[in-house]
């Protein structure tokens, strides 16, 4: 009760509040009922119409190409083009040796089937079916309209048509079929025509022969109508060079065997050593090269259009359709490739079908991905190479700079050594002067002793060489030389530097001892720069001991081998280096000397590191400091 009460209340509120809305709802419901009613009445009316009965007669067997294709496409087209209810019955018209008996049976069967009522339309596809229809028309369905389709115009002209017959004929343009062959394969000399031996096929043998008379000189026609299909297969496998095959199809071969178009063509294609052409596109797509051909779709569509007109009440004999001509040429890409036919030879506007996608089309994304990866990789490699080159350049520049710095350092050191050098030069120059004075006295004496003169001259020569040697060493020190790696024995470096500074050591009252290793210590290095490092260390050691009594001042320069390294140490007995400054001493501009620059050890470290070595400082146990250099030993040739 409560629900009913609420519904009543709701209706009342609707009526009160929204009368317009209620009216529109009622209107919609009325419209809906009207539409449903009309649709139902149309459906009932359609259902009550008697379906049209169409009999389709197809030449040869149920699956016999090309007519099986025509019938199938015709049915689809008819259903699309007509809205009439329809019953389509399809009967194959048999051929072959038992043809006559089969024909009689089919005729009797059709007679019985339609005893209760005649069909509305008879359709025959292909010449054999049309011939059957003509033969049995009067006894079967004399008053039923007929449509003859997929028949060549020439065959139609041979038929006795009535006013109840419509025709959708085709025109098989024989010369153009063969011109197509020589167009795409200009070298062609022989064309084998694959065709059967039935009377229908005999017509075509004669027709081809006569139509191709003008091409007689150009191509040699081989008619295989008198061969069994097995023999045809054998010959197709061994055709001479520059041959082609023209496939009409052996409907009934010389042995009386019928050959289904599809299967027979497949067998021929499998063995043939020459390209196959045909006149009907029902065969296109499996084995034939292509060209301009009769079109199944075009023929079936046109036939369906005529059928619709007849079923709609038009008189069959009055429907005139011009014979259908070939459609635009189409070719099978796979066959073009197989026989090396360039697409440039195809007529303008040709379609090339069954094109297989290229590797690029198939794997475009994969190829792009791989290329991108390669590109990125290449870019990275180039970048790395570029950076490496940059590093190498930077290293070269660093070496040059350290070379220049080293030169400045050597130059300043030469200034420091000037007094010593002057002292060193004084000795030979003084000796030379003394010897010259002695020689003058001897020359003035009454008796000249040539032996004595010889000795004096030898002394002069020796002293002169000593002076030249001093100057030579100085020049070497201040000479600007580019960095160059040579085989250097670290023992020689130690010895030569000690010798170079021996005069300075005497002047500074320092005992300079060199203790070189007994074996050669061959390293790869710049001899002048290495000498400069040792020179710096010795001069620093002399400076460190300047406040000590001269009797205690001692510097030891020693070399040794440690595994694959050559070592050189300079130790003194000075005050040593404060522990917190042991690393600092190698920093540029670190100095504790009033007139120091603080560059000597910094340059020494740069030189040693440029030689892939290391330099370090330590305080010795008793007193004094020691500086150690280690350099990689050069690999000895085996
Ligand atoms: P500079 O000789 O112009 O001061 P260096 O770079 O050659 O520049 O030396 C830096 C500093 O290292 C020196 O000022 C000194 O304090 C310290 N030093 C170098 N060699 C020794 C040594 N053998 N004993 C004590 N101190 C040293």
């Amino acid at each position: 009760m409560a629900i009913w009460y609420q519904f009543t209340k709701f209706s009342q509120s609707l009526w009160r509040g929204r009368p317009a809305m209620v009216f529109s709802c009622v209107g919609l419901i009325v419209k809906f009922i009207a539409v449903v009613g009309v649709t139902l009445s149309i459906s009932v009316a359609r259902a009550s119409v008697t379906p049209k009965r169409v009999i389709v007669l197809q030449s040869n067997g149920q699956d016999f190409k090309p007519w099986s294709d025509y019938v199938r496409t015709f049915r689809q087209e008819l259903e699309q083009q007509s809205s009439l209810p329809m019953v389509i019955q399809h009967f194959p018209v048999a051929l072959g040796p038992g043809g006559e008996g089969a024909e009689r049976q089919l005729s009797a069967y059709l007679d019985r089937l339609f005893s209760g009522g005649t069909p509305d339309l008879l359709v025959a596809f292909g010449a054999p079916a049309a011939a059957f229809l003509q033969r049995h028309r009067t006894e079967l369905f004399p008053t039923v309209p007929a449509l003859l389709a997929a028949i060549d115009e020439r065959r139609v002209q041979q038929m006795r048509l009535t006013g109840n017959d419509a025709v959708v004929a085709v025109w098989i343009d024989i010369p153009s079929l063969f011109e197509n062959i020589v167009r795409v394969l200009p070298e062609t000399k022989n064309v084998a025509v694959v065709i059967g031996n039935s009377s229908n096929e005999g017509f075509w043998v004669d027709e081809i022969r006569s139509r191709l008379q003008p091409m007689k000189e150009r191509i040699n026609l081989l008619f295989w109508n008198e061969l069994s299909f097995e023999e045809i297969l054998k010959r197709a496998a061994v055709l001479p060079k520059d041959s082609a095959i023209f496939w009409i199809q052996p409907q009934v071969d010389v042995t009386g065997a019928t050959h289904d178009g599809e299967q027979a063509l497949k067998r021929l294609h499998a063995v043939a050593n020459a390209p196959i052409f045909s006149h009907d596109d029902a065969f296109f797509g499996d084995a034939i090269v292509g060209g301009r051909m009769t079109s199944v779709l075009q023929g079936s569509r046109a036939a369906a259009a005529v059928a619709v007109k007849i079923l709609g009440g038009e008189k069959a004999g009055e429907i005139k359709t011009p014979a259908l001509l070939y459609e635009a040429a189409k070719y099978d890409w796979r066959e073009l490739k197989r026989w090396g036919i360039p697409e440039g030879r195809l007529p303008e506007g040709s379609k090339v079908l069954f094109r297989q996608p290229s590797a690029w089309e198939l794997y475009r994304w994969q190829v792009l991905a791989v290329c991108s990866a390669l590109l990125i990789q290449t870019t990275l490699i180039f970048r790395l190479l570029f950076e490496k080159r940059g590093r190498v350049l930077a290293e070269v520049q660093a070496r040059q700079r350290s070379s220049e710095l080293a030169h400045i350092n050597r130059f300043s050191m030469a200034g420091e050594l000037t007094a010593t050098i002057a002292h060193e030069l004084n000795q030979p120059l003084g000796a030379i002067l003394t010897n010259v004075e002695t020689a003058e006295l001897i020359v003035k004496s009454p008796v000249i002793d040539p032996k004595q003169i010889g000795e004096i001259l030898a002394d002069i020569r020796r002293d002169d060489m000593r002076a030249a040697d001093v100057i030579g060493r100085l020049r070497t020190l201040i000479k600007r030389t580019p960095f160059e790696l040579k085989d250097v024995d670290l023992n020689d470096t130690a010895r030569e530097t000690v010798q170079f500074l021996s005069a300075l050591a005497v002047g500074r009252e320092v005992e300079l001892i060199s203790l070189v290793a007994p074996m050669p210590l061959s390293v790869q290095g710049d001899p002048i720069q290495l000498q400069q490092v040792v020179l710096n260390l010795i001069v620093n050691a002399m400076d460190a001991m300047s406040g000590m009594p001269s009797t205690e001042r001692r510097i030891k320069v020693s070399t040794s081998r440690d595994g694959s390294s050559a070592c050189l140490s300079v130790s003194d007995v000075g005050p040593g280096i404060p522990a917190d400054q042991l690393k600092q001493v190698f920093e540029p501009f670190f100095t504790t000397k009033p007139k120091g620059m603080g560059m000597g050890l910094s340059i020494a470290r740069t030189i040693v590191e440029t030689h892939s070595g290391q330099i370090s400082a330590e305080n010795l146990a008793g007193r004094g400091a020691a500086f150690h250099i280690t350099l990689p030993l050069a690999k000895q040739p085996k």
Side-chain angles (χ1 to χ4, degrees):
M1 271 307 282
I3 294 170
W4 173 248
Y5 174 76
Q6 278 180 8
F7 176 70
T8 318
K9 279 272 176 196
F10 175 67
S11 312
Q12 282 169 356
S13 76
L14 268 183
W15 182 249
R16 267 199 313 275
R18 307 246 193 284
M21 195 182 93
V22 173
F23 274 125
S24 71
C25 285
V26 170
L28 274 174
I29 292 164
V30 169
K31 269 185 202 163
F32 175 72
I33 292 168
V35 169
V36 169
V38 169
T39 313
L40 279 175
S41 60
I42 288 170
S43 304
V44 169
R46 265 186 82 163
S48 63
V49 172
T50 321
K52 298 287 182 188
R53 300 185 77 179
V54 179
I55 294 181
V56 178
L57 299 171
Q58 183 207 312
S59 296
N60 301 0
Q62 182 89 19
D63 298 316
F64 208 101
K65 274 198 176 194
W67 297 298
S68 52
D69 283 9
Y70 278 98
V71 173
R72 194 179 55 251
T73 318
F74 171 74
R75 289 182 82 134
Q76 290 164 357
E77 285 290 323
L78 194 54
E79 278 160 13
Q80 269 177 26
Q81 292 182 31
S82 171
S83 56
L84 290 171
M86 227 175 281
V87 176
I88 303 169
Q89 284 170 293
H90 167 206
F91 299 97
V93 176
L95 278 168
E100 278 174 31
E103 240 186 89
R104 268 198 306 278
Q105 276 178 12
L106 176 63
S107 159
Y109 173 71
L110 290 172
D111 197 24
R112 274 201 309 280
L113 192 68
F114 291 94
S115 55
T118 51
D120 296 287
L121 176 63
L122 294 164
V123 186
F125 274 102
F132 167 83
L133 189 60
Q134 290 239 308
R135 283 196 293 272
H136 299 277
R137 184 79 179 281
T138 22
E139 71 200 62
L140 279 176
F141 316 110
T143 56
V144 177
L147 166 61
L148 311 178
I151 306 168
D152 183 78
E153 179 76 17
R154 284 157 282 208
R155 310 305 304 273
V156 176
Q157 282 160 11
Q158 294 170 351
M159 292 176 175
R160 273 184 288 118
L161 298 173
T162 70
N164 222 5
D165 296 336
V167 179
V168 176
V170 293
W171 178 255
I172 297 177
D173 179 358
I174 295 167
S176 98
L177 295 169
F178 288 78
E179 278 157 13
N180 171 52
I181 299 176
V182 291
R183 178 189 183 119
V184 298
L185 289 164
E187 306 297 315
T188 308
K189 291 187 184 69
N190 307 299
V191 179
V193 181
V194 178
I195 189 165
N197 208 35
S198 65
S199 59
N200 176 38
E201 291 161 285
F203 168 82
W204 284 111
V205 171
D206 294 342
E207 192 64 16
I208 293 169
R209 207 170 257 140
S210 75
R211 298 272 170 181
L212 292 186
Q213 271 299 322
M215 291 180 82
K216 222 172 96 190
E217 303 302 316
R218 174 76 185 75
I219 47 176
N220 172 34
L221 287 173
L222 309 164
F223 285 95
W224 284 352
N225 54 317
E226 288 177 357
L227 301 178
S228 70
F229 189 58
E230 297 309 318
E231 185 58 29
I232 287 174
L233 293 179
K234 278 187 202 154
R235 296 214 184 167
V238 292
L239 275 166
K241 194 172 165 283
D242 300 326
S243 295
I245 297 171
F246 193 81
W247 169 263
I248 294 180
Q249 86 167 306
Q251 294 173 26
V252 185
D253 77 11
V254 75
T255 65
T258 55
H259 294 281
D260 169 305
E262 189 165 11
Q263 291 309 319
L265 179 57
K266 272 189 184 152
R267 288 182 67 197
L268 178 69
H269 183 252
V271 297
N273 69 348
I276 308 171
F277 294 81
S278 185
H279 63 291
D280 196 302
D281 77 354
F283 300 115
F284 183 73
D286 281 325
I288 66 168
V289 175
R292 294 186 69 212
M293 296 168 281
T294 308
S295 159
V296 170
L297 180 63
Q298 185 197 33
S300 307
R301 188 169 279 169
V306 173
V308 170
K309 284 183 186 169
I310 296 170
L311 293 172
E314 281 189 46
K315 193 150 174 52
E318 288 172 6
I319 304 169
K320 299 292 174 204
T321 311
L324 303 174
L325 304 176
Y326 295 148
E327 291 209 313
K330 56 185 172 187
Y331 293 88
D332 188 326
W333 182 87
R334 298 161 299 184
E335 293 298 308
L336 293 180
K337 287 280 148 208
R338 183 179 171 194
W339 302 108
I341 301 170
E343 289 186 29
R345 286 191 197 154
L346 310 184
E348 207 174 317
S350 301
K351 285 185 200 153
V352 178
L353 303 172
F354 311 111
R355 203 182 279 279
Q356 279 168 1
S358 63
W360 166 248
E361 284 160 343
L362 276 176
Y363 303 109
R364 181 184 317 162
W365 294 113
Q366 289 89 329
V367 170
L368 280 177
V370 170
C371 285
S372 309
L374 279 175
L375 197 69
I376 292 168
Q377 210 175 18
T378 314
T379 314
L380 282 175
I381 289 169
F382 271 107
R383 206 180 146 170
L384 286 173
L385 286 175
F386 186 73
E387 279 176 8
K388 194 182 169 195
R389 188 169 172 270
R391 269 205 308 279
V392 170
L393 274 175
E395 272 174 31
V396 169
Q397 280 175 354
R399 272 184 195 164
Q400 276 172 356
R401 281 202 200 103
S402 77
S403 226
E404 278 162 22
L405 259 180
H407 176 247
I408 293 166
N409 174 253
R410 286 199 302 274
F411 212 84
S412 72
M413 194 167 283
E416 201 170 316
L417 294 173
T418 316
T420 326
I421 288 161
H423 172 75
E424 250 193 293
L425 275 177
N426 262 343
Q427 276 186 338
L429 289 177
I432 288 170
L433 186 64
T434 313
N435 277 321
V436 169
E437 284 167 359
T438 313
E440 278 172 350
L441 288 174
I442 292 172
V443 169
K444 284 176 191 160
S445 68
V447 185
I448 301 169
D449 181 0
K451 191 180 166 211
Q452 218 176 354
I453 295 285
E455 281 169 8
I456 288 169
L457 286 175
D459 282 353
I460 291 171
R461 177 193 292 274
R462 192 195 61 231
D463 290 330
D464 178 78
M465 282 170 70
R466 250 178 76 194
D469 190 40
V470 172
I471 290 169
R473 270 186 280 148
L474 184 68
R475 280 184 59 187
T476 312
L477 185 68
I478 59 175
K479 196 165 64 178
R480 182 195 287 268
T481 51
F483 179 88
E484 56 174 339
L485 288 175
K486 286 184 183 165
D487 257 343
V488 179
D489 186 347
L490 209 56
N491 290 335
D492 291 343
T493 309
R495 264 194 296 261
E496 282 165 16
T497 317
V498 166
Q499 197 192 352
F500 187 63
L501 292 177
S502 56
L504 185 68
V506 173
R508 297 253 197 133
E509 297 177 279
V510 176
E511 187 187 358
L512 188 55
I513 311 164
S514 83
L515 290 171
V516 296
M519 77 291 280
L521 298 174
S522 183
V523 296
Q524 279 285 300
D526 183 311
I528 296 173
Q529 289 198 2
L530 290 176
Q531 200 182 53
Q532 180 181 354
V533 173
V534 184
L535 210 117
N536 262 314
L537 297 179
I538 297 173
V539 173
N540 272 347
M542 287 178 180
D543 290 346
M545 295 185 299
S546 58
M548 293 179 60
S550 58
T551 49
E552 293 176 19
R553 296 175 198 159
R554 193 171 60 253
I555 297 172
K556 194 168 80 188
V557 180
S558 61
T559 57
S560 61
R561 179 180 172 158
D562 181 11
S564 59
S565 299
C567 309
L568 185 147
S569 301
V570 177
S571 58
D572 58 61
V573 290
I577 303 165
D580 59 328
Q581 292 175 2
L582 277 171
K583 286 218 167 77
Q584 248 184 312
V585 291
F586 295 102
E587 297 298 322
F589 308 113
F590 177 85
T591 180
T592 55
K593 299 172 194 169
K595 289 186 180 171
M597 274 174 61
M599 288 304 292
L601 289 179
S602 160
I603 289 169
R605 184 175 67 174
T606 310
I607 292 172
V608 172
E609 285 176 356
T610 310
H611 286 75
S612 312
Q614 284 176 338
I615 185 168
S616 60
E618 65 166 345
N619 285 314
L620 294 173
R623 58 176 176 162
F627 285 80
H628 306 289
I629 300 165
T630 52
L631 293 168
L633 277 168
K635 287 195 177 78
Q636 296 301 322
K638 288 175 186 168

